[in-house]
Amino acid sequence: FRPAMHGRPRVRTTEEQRAAKAKERAAKVIEYRAAMDDAMRLRQLCQDSLAGLEADERRKNREQLLRVTQALLQANPDIGTLWAARRETLQQIEQQQQQQQQEQQQQQEQQKQQEQQKQQEQQQQQEQQQQQEQQKQQEQQKQQEQQKQQQQQQSDEAIVAQLSNELQLTAACLMQNPKSYGAWHHRAWTLDRLGVSRADLAGELRLTRQFLQRDERNFHCWDHRRHVCRLGGVPASEELAFSDKLLTANMGNFSAWHYRSRLLLAQTDGGLTAQTRKRELDTALSAMFSDPADTAPWAYYRWLMSPPSEPQRLLWLRYLSRNDKSDNTDWDNDENVSSCVLMCLSRPVTKAWLAKLLDIRLLPAGNNGDGCRLEAEDPVPVAAVSGCGSANPAAHLWRLPIKAADGVEVIRVSVGADSTLMSSTVSTAAPGRLRLLPSPTQPSAVDEALRSEQLNLIRQLNELAGDSRQGLLTEAALLPTPAEALPLLDRLAQLDPTRSGAYGHARSRLAVRARLQEAKSEPETLSLAGLGLTALPLMHEFAFVSELDLSDNRLTRLPGQVAGLQLLQTLDARRNRLADADACRPLAACRRLRVLRLTGNPLAEEAAALAELSGQLSERVRIELD
Amino acid sequence: TDISLPADAPKQLLPEKHADFLLQYCSSQDNYEYVMTEYLRMSGLYWTASALDLLGRLPDLRQRMDAAAFLRDCARPDGGYGPAPGHDSHLLYTLSAVQVALLFDLRDSLDAGAIAGFVRGLQRPDGSFQGDRWGEVDTRFSFCALAALFLLGLGDRLDDLVDARAAGDFVLTCANWDGGFGTRPGSESHSGQVYCCIGALSILGRLHELDVDRTALWLAERQLASGGLNGRPEKLPDVCYSWWVLASLAMLGRLSWISGERLLRFVCAAQDPEAGGIADRPGDLCDPFHTLFGLAGASLLRLGGDSLKAINPTFCLPVDCLDRHGLRLPLWTGD
């Protein structure tokens, strides 16, 4: 990734120095151009149909090409085309040697056949000598076999010698340019061609160790080592021991910690055993205690203690009917659609996913049996989070159009498969009623006793070492409830103002989560007022609200997911930091919005901006500025 | 590991100077740097042209060179593009060629079908892409492949042209424990690779499969006391990471997670106030690569004033260039 110049200081030079340098450079340019032209010409000659040239000439061209490219590559190993030229040449040499071998074998076969014929004739005449002749034949065959093997070996040795040249050349290039993509790749290519049986893999591992001694973070070298280990089937345990050695020498070696993480995951197929986790935690902790200022072990530690990612969950359903008089929206023009179910999932999914894993059933009054499966109309994403064009949008919220038949009372929505199946129902008799699913208690892969024990240790360490970014981040990550982490995030923002945006975002998420948990009884009127929010995450979780209070926060814009608040009628956004119409753009999609309160925002003082906002929103929206 | 900003370093952006520097850099064909960087010249042209376009000075470059001829001379029979005439084709230079074509309004001179064929031929069964026929695999090449196809206007046909699902799956296997991404599965997290992986997933519409906060925090941790951004932990800050890291955060909707002001101060300090141009860090030699990425970062932060056009974070091209060609990639708006 570092094709251009890095780490080269600007130096003030005299007129004289500049002139001398210019002269030197002019000469280099001429030299380079001549060598490149030569290389290209030779390559062309080698590539062209070889029929016109004598074998000797061909060989000479190839050797010259190898010489010229060697010099150029040692000066600059990033000229990819030259490595390609060498690889072609090696392939040609290999091909030619194989051809020669075949020709020799054919000749030998012919000779053998001729001799056999002769012998047969003689046999008819001299049967006494038959036995002797047979012996002779066998000996000759043996000799020919040996010859063949020798030739195979020679030809093998010849190719190996050529490939060894490539190893030498790449090593020389890497000594000068240890981060050259071209040199490392050519080396790996060469090793692959040598294969496990002929390559000196132990030597190769030694080489990587040498380069890592020069620069323990050289990711090219690390990647090469991984390649060699894969080629040679080196067990993870050996490499873990290697990483151990490096970490003992320097606990701050990020690359070595990273290597451990991947080796462990590979060993256990993606999940750490409790035993492994404990051992790694102890290793990280001892590093953290011995030098708390070293950041690498802290990051590794947090990874070890991080909970598994949240599984997919069906969060809520809401049935909407055209016949519902309390619903004040315009329905879509599609006459056939009389109702729909709004569905919310904790993680965004695509239509393709739903096609496989969504099941909607209409159950008649009395709710007996399986009901009849609805051939779902295309589910419609609401406030999609992503999607190139509209090829495959992903969303938390989906509108499931339902053509309800007479007598249907219950609609069951099921999502997922087998063990991950989530299911719930809504009643058509109570349109608009929200069905909020209870959050299941999740078994954590990190058990409570461990978490509690580790929290104590980290607190001890933080007391000893004083407030630090790593210490606070880690302690916050170990706390059992969101509310407890809030003061830590505040301290982090003070200690590390550079990243206050990140901490504010995390804080906002925790604050919203806490408020949502409290609001279970009357969720459709949600207050997120006075939480110091700088961001507004988790909106899909409360996208069913009809009244939302965001007043007295620090929002500079209403994020895109606001467009998912399809049932929102009143939004109180007073005393935030909304500065222009653009900051409120997503509100245009909130079809049921009727009241918007904006007092105390910079936007409220700007007549032009307000006019623009008005134009964006439906005329049914009343903007209040009292 | 960090640097300190010299007290006398520039504190304002110097757009005029940079335009002069860029135009001067490629003005002479005998220019030492120009000749010796032949092996990446197509990318060099893209960096120069994109930076000049951000500054509104691309017409000056158009006058001085025949971009159409250069593109023609670098096109290879296999459908790909090399960095310079006579050099072999590679995904890196094929993407740069498409970017150059868009900037110079030469899109019609590209054979989209041939390029798509070249790209498709480089995908491997595990979904990864090799840079050329010699087999080097790198998530940079996944990005180059998908971005090139998108910029050719083939973004809604990705599933037909390559195995889009496998391409995304491969990128995800390069995600690491710390939220970053590496070159190949198992490789250490690196800002440049993160940019390429986020870009690829952005084009594929699969950002929602990430732990976005974890990745964004890793990116935010790149900012050092000097205000500059580094490529990975314990490394020196470098202006080019201003782009890789910033653009990644922008694609994730989290530009506010670093301090834009402090970053801009670093970028300004890395300028050469006399000759123009931007270097990797204050006091070093300038080049078009760092000039582009410093200006691109400033543009993303909207701290360049009126002197810089708006830039697209996925493709590092001015927004108006993409608009002109009818190319739109909706930004992710998830949590």
Side-chain angles (χ1 to χ4, degrees):
Chain A
F1 238 121
R2 301 161 69 77
M5 292 66 84
H6 286 81
R8 304 187 340 179
R10 286 202 295 277
V11 175
R12 286 222 169 330
T13 51
T14 63
E15 193 63 55
E16 208 177 85
Q17 285 170 323
R18 269 198 290 277
K21 190 166 190 194
K23 197 165 164 193
E24 187 191 319
R25 287 183 151 190
K28 277 196 183 153
V29 164
I30 293 173
E31 197 187 316
Y32 167 85
R33 189 78 271 139
M36 278 300 281
D37 289 346
D38 208 15
M40 296 302 199
R41 178 187 60 84
L42 286 163
R43 186 194 191 190
Q44 194 61 44
L45 274 175
C46 291
Q47 278 175 342
D48 281 343
S49 153
L50 308 175
L53 294 171
E54 296 296 329
D56 226 33
E57 251 189 273
R58 279 183 263 147
R59 190 177 44 81
K60 275 207 207 131
N61 283 339
R62 278 202 297 265
E63 283 170 12
Q64 207 183 341
L65 177 59
L66 289 173
R67 262 199 310 276
V68 174
T69 53
Q70 171 162 335
L72 281 163
L73 285 166
Q74 277 184 278
N76 183 356
D78 289 325
I79 308 177
T81 300
L82 297 181
W83 289 116
R86 290 187 78 87
R87 290 189 281 263
E88 277 165 11
T89 307
L90 291 168
Q91 283 176 336
Q92 279 164 14
I93 293 173
E94 201 172 20
Q95 257 173 27
Q96 197 185 53
Q97 281 172 350
Q98 276 171 359
Q99 231 173 6
Q100 271 173 6
Q101 227 182 293
Q102 271 174 10
E103 280 168 21
Q104 271 171 353
Q105 274 175 15
Q106 273 173 8
Q107 266 177 18
Q108 280 160 15
E109 285 298 321
Q110 273 176 9
Q111 268 175 11
K112 200 165 140 190
Q113 276 174 10
Q114 280 169 4
E115 297 218 6
Q116 277 178 346
Q117 268 179 5
K118 241 202 246 169
Q119 278 158 16
Q120 273 171 7
E121 284 166 19
Q122 282 175 0
Q123 231 175 345
Q124 282 167 4
Q125 291 168 10
Q126 296 163 342
E127 291 201 20
Q128 290 166 334
Q129 291 181 352
Q130 212 180 23
Q131 253 189 4
Q132 284 176 6
E133 294 294 345
Q134 273 182 353
Q135 275 178 3
K136 200 170 156 192
Q137 222 182 331
Q138 278 170 0
E139 272 175 33
Q140 274 179 346
Q141 269 181 4
K142 233 205 256 168
Q143 262 178 30
Q144 274 161 16
E145 277 305 317
Q146 276 176 356
Q147 247 182 23
K148 199 165 147 187
Q149 270 178 9
Q150 255 177 25
Q151 275 160 11
Q152 172 77 35
Q153 218 179 329
Q154 265 172 19
S155 144
D156 231 30
E157 278 169 4
I159 292 167
V160 169
Q162 296 288 353
L163 293 172
S164 298
N165 268 352
E166 302 307 301
L167 290 179
Q168 268 179 32
L169 174 56
T170 51
C173 290
L174 289 170
M175 289 307 288
Q176 302 280 17
N177 292 278
K179 300 185 185 180
S180 164
Y181 283 96
W184 284 107
H185 173 244
H186 191 75
R187 197 173 178 87
W189 182 89
T190 304
L191 282 175
D192 287 348
R193 262 196 129 62
L194 283 167
V196 184
S197 52
R198 298 182 300 186
D200 175 12
L201 294 180
E204 206 62 24
L205 289 175
R206 266 197 312 276
L207 178 129
T208 63
R209 188 182 293 218
Q210 279 164 17
F211 273 95
L212 289 177
Q213 268 165 5
R214 274 175 66 174
D215 174 4
E216 68 189 13
R217 305 294 302 287
N218 184 338
F219 67 80
H220 301 269
C221 182
W222 279 105
D223 285 346
H224 190 74
R225 191 178 175 98
R226 274 182 276 272
H227 186 85
V228 172
C229 286
R230 213 172 15 245
L231 193 61
V234 177
S237 51
E238 269 181 45
E239 289 301 285
L240 278 167
F242 176 68
S243 75
D244 258 330
K245 275 210 206 77
L246 292 178
L247 287 170
T248 307
N250 174 17
M251 277 299 174
N253 185 343
F254 263 98
S255 304
W257 285 110
H258 166 78
Y259 199 30
R260 279 193 92 72
S261 77
R262 294 299 289 224
L263 288 166
L264 292 172
L265 287 173
Q267 267 189 332
T268 59
D269 202 25
L272 300 179
T273 63
Q275 203 186 21
T276 305
R277 179 179 283 111
K278 198 61 178 50
R279 182 194 72 212
E280 296 297 305
L281 281 171
D282 289 340
T283 311
L285 273 171
S286 77
M288 284 144 69
F289 270 93
S290 66
D291 185 6
D294 233 334
T295 52
W298 288 93
Y300 189 71
Y301 177 90
R302 276 197 299 281
W303 169 66
L304 290 168
M305 289 301 293
S306 57
S309 47
E310 285 223 13
Q312 181 66 271
R313 287 198 298 127
L314 178 60
L315 293 179
W316 55 264
L317 298 171
R318 185 154 170 170
Y319 175 70
L320 299 169
S321 161
R322 230 183 186 120
N323 302 323
D324 182 3
K325 295 289 180 286
S326 66
D327 187 348
N328 60 10
T329 336
D330 308 316
W331 274 74
D332 292 329
N333 291 329
D334 185 351
E335 290 299 323
N336 289 325
V337 176
S338 53
S339 58
C340 73
V341 173
L342 270 182
M343 173 182 76
C344 176
L345 293 165
S346 62
R347 308 183 67 180
V349 297
T350 58
K351 203 188 285 193
W353 190 93
L354 287 175
K356 278 187 255 173
L357 295 169
L358 173 68
D359 183 285
I360 310 175
R361 280 166 199 279
L362 307 181
L363 304 166
N367 209 340
N368 291 325
D370 259 349
C372 106
R373 178 135 196 259
L374 184 69
E375 283 318 309
E377 292 278 315
D378 269 347
V380 178
V382 180
V385 301
S386 68
C388 179
S390 56
N392 208 16
H396 291 275
L397 293 169
W398 289 84
R399 184 159 62 236
L400 315 173
I402 310 270
K403 288 181 213 159
D406 288 331
V408 168
E409 271 215 5
V410 177
I411 302 172
R412 179 183 298 135
V413 174
S414 309
V415 201
D418 309 320
S419 58
T420 63
L421 186 67
M422 305 157 285
S423 184
S424 190
T425 57
V426 282
S427 164
T428 63
R433 180 91 52 83
L434 172 71
R435 167 78 76 175
L436 195 61
L437 276 74
S439 10
T441 45
Q442 266 160 262
S444 170
V446 177
D447 73 64
E448 181 52 34
L450 177 65
R451 190 200 55 76
S452 177
E453 169 201 67
Q454 293 297 319
L455 179 57
N456 280 332
L457 286 168
I458 295 299
R459 278 183 169 149
Q460 276 174 41
L461 178 50
N462 285 346
E463 229 159 303
L464 284 171
D467 261 8
S468 78
R469 195 156 70 78
Q470 296 298 324
L472 289 173
L473 267 174
T474 308
E475 194 179 324
L478 292 174
L479 292 167
T481 63
E484 289 178 65
L486 291 172
L488 285 176
L489 286 172
D490 289 337
R491 269 157 63 195
L492 266 169
Q494 279 172 355
L495 188 69
D496 181 22
T498 294
R499 272 160 284 268
S500 51
Y503 304 131
H505 197 124
R507 201 188 183 290
S508 300
R509 173 180 278 266
L510 292 178
V512 170
R513 165 73 65 223
R515 195 54 79 81
L516 280 176
Q517 276 169 358
E518 289 163 27
K520 279 303 165 56
S521 50
E522 234 199 274
E524 277 141 318
T525 312
L526 181 65
S527 168
L528 296 177
L531 294 176
L533 300 179
T534 53
L536 197 47
L538 303 175
M539 262 190 292
H540 54 280
E541 294 205 10
F542 54 87
F544 47 73
V545 296
S546 47
E547 281 181 40
L548 180 61
D549 185 357
L550 293 177
S551 61
D552 295 296
N553 281 300
R554 288 150 56 195
L555 297 170
T556 55
R557 61 187 321 104
L558 299 178
Q561 285 290 287
V562 158
L565 302 176
Q566 292 285 293
L567 306 172
L568 185 67
Q569 295 175 27
T570 306
L571 176 62
D572 188 347
R574 286 176 293 176
R575 295 177 296 279
N576 272 282
R577 300 181 186 177
L578 304 169
D580 52 33
D582 198 49
C584 302
R585 186 175 296 275
L587 278 177
C590 300
R591 286 131 42 105
R592 291 176 171 79
L593 187 66
R594 294 294 175 265
V595 177
L596 173 60
R597 300 200 174 99
L598 286 177
T599 319
N601 283 284
L603 169 59
E605 313 297 317
E606 302 276 325
L610 284 171
E612 194 188 334
L613 178 59
S614 252
Q616 281 169 10
L617 301 174
S618 148
E619 58 215 2
R620 285 187 246 205
V621 177
R622 187 175 78 242
I623 300 178
E624 286 183 5
L625 297 170
D626 48 27
Chain B
T1 330
D2 195 5
I3 59 135
S4 38
L5 302 182
D8 61 347
K11 296 190 174 53
Q12 307 272 47
L13 261 188
L14 309 164
E16 291 303 314
K17 286 278 181 188
H18 301 320
D20 294 337
F21 169 79
L22 290 163
L23 289 167
Q24 204 271 325
Y25 196 87
C26 54
S27 61
S28 167
Q29 303 248 335
D30 296 325
N31 180 320
Y32 178 77
E33 305 290 3
Y34 182 81
V35 171
M36 300 311 271
T37 56
E38 175 182 271
Y39 70 95
L40 54 67
R41 187 169 303 145
M42 186 63 79
S43 297
L45 176 56
Y46 154 66
W47 300 327
T48 305
S50 197
L52 282 167
D53 198 13
L54 277 181
L55 294 163
R57 297 285 300 275
L58 186 54
D60 291 342
L61 181 60
R62 282 197 215 221
Q63 275 175 8
R64 299 178 193 211
M65 69 166 301
D66 187 347
F70 184 66
L71 283 171
R72 263 194 315 270
D73 291 342
C74 293
R76 307 295 310 195
D78 59 9
Y81 283 77
H87 287 246
D88 291 355
S89 57
H90 194 283
L91 265 179
L92 289 171
Y93 309 115
T94 303
L95 172 61
S96 294
V98 174
Q99 288 166 316
V100 165
L102 290 184
L103 286 163
F104 284 85
D105 293 311
L106 293 168
R107 194 161 144 203
D108 291 337
S109 72
L110 299 175
D111 183 344
I115 297 175
F118 173 70
V119 168
R120 186 199 357 256
L122 292 172
Q123 187 170 31
R124 298 160 72 100
D126 65 359
S128 65
F129 285 85
Q130 51 193 47
D132 60 18
R133 63 194 167 106
W134 298 105
E136 185 187 4
V137 167
D138 190 320
T139 44
R140 285 182 297 157
F141 308 149
S142 301
F143 174 73
C144 288
L146 296 168
L149 293 176
F150 182 91
L151 291 174
L152 288 170
L154 304 170
D156 51 0
R157 292 181 44 207
L158 288 176
D159 285 315
D160 299 331
L161 297 168
V162 294
D163 187 344
R165 175 125 290 261
D169 289 347
F170 175 76
V171 166
L172 289 169
T173 64
C174 298
N176 286 318
W177 56 285
D178 53 10
F181 289 81
T183 310
R184 289 160 215 143
S187 300
E188 187 181 337
S189 302
H190 181 285
S191 295
Q193 314 295 147
V194 173
Y195 167 78
C196 290
C197 291
I198 300 288
L201 292 172
S202 179
I203 294 168
L204 294 169
R206 291 179 67 173
L207 282 176
H208 60 278
E209 297 183 38
L210 291 180
D211 182 343
V212 174
D213 280 342
R214 184 183 293 200
T215 299
L217 188 60
W218 187 89
L219 289 164
E221 307 228 293
R222 298 305 106 239
Q223 187 159 40
L224 302 171
S226 62
L229 305 177
N230 64 15
R232 47 191 172 132
E234 300 302 311
K235 288 282 180 161
L236 287 175
D238 183 328
V239 162
C240 65
Y241 295 118
S242 317
W243 176 254
W244 312 128
V245 172
L246 219 53
S248 301
L249 283 170
M251 285 191 272
L252 297 176
R254 283 153 167 75
L255 262 180
S256 66
W257 284 31
I258 56 130
S259 164
E261 271 153 25
R262 295 173 95 148
L263 175 59
L264 188 66
R265 217 170 43 209
F266 179 84
V267 171
C268 287
Q271 299 173 110
D272 180 343
E274 285 159 20
I278 306 181
D280 57 346
R281 55 189 75 95
D284 278 359
L285 285 172
C286 303
D287 58 62
F289 178 79
H290 292 96
T291 305
L292 169 62
F293 295 123
L295 292 175
S299 169
L300 259 190
L301 293 171
R302 305 313 292 138
L303 292 174
D306 289 329
S307 56
L308 291 177
K309 286 190 196 175
I311 193 159
N312 174 283
T314 309
F315 303 107
C316 198
L317 287 167
V319 171
D320 68 359
C321 177
L322 294 173
D323 286 344
R324 209 161 62 231
H325 296 285
L327 298 167
R328 234 194 106 245
L329 179 64
L331 269 187
W332 188 67
T333 55
D335 239 5

